[in-house]
Amino acid sequence: MTDTDRLLTVAQVAELLATSERFPRRLIAERRIRFVKVGRFVRIPESALREFIAAGLVEPVTLRISGRKAA
């Protein structure tokens, strides 16, 4: 976490991911994303959200077309 890293609420994370609040809460409960406890509140650093998204990124498959002729 950097000094300029914003701490996001569960609602903000859900909005950024276009999901319900239940999804980020499950990520927190399953310890699948880094989070910060601020008293009784839970916050997710922006960098943790970026890392989570990057970890799930699936690159497209590039098809190699061989020189075969159709029969």
Side-chain angles (χ1 to χ4, degrees):
M1 193 167 124
T2 64
D3 291 339
T4 59
D5 211 1
R6 272 185 43 210
L7 295 177
L8 305 172
T9 65
V10 171
Q12 289 171 320
V13 171
E15 185 176 333
L16 289 170
L17 293 175
T19 65
S20 69
E21 288 187 27
R22 186 175 179 182
F23 180 66
R25 288 188 192 284
R26 193 172 78 226
L27 295 176
I28 292 165
E30 295 173 357
R31 303 293 198 264
R32 293 172 52 200
I33 193 167
R34 287 185 301 117
F35 63 94
V36 177
K37 292 280 288 191
V38 182
R40 66 184 182 100
F41 301 104
V42 175
R43 299 291 184 258
I44 298 172
E46 272 186 310
S47 61
L49 182 59
R50 284 192 301 271
E51 290 167 11
F52 175 78
I53 292 169
L57 182 66
V58 178
E59 295 294 335
V61 175
T62 56
L63 298 176
R64 190 172 38 158
I65 301 174
S66 63
R68 289 189 268 165
K69 293 182 180 178

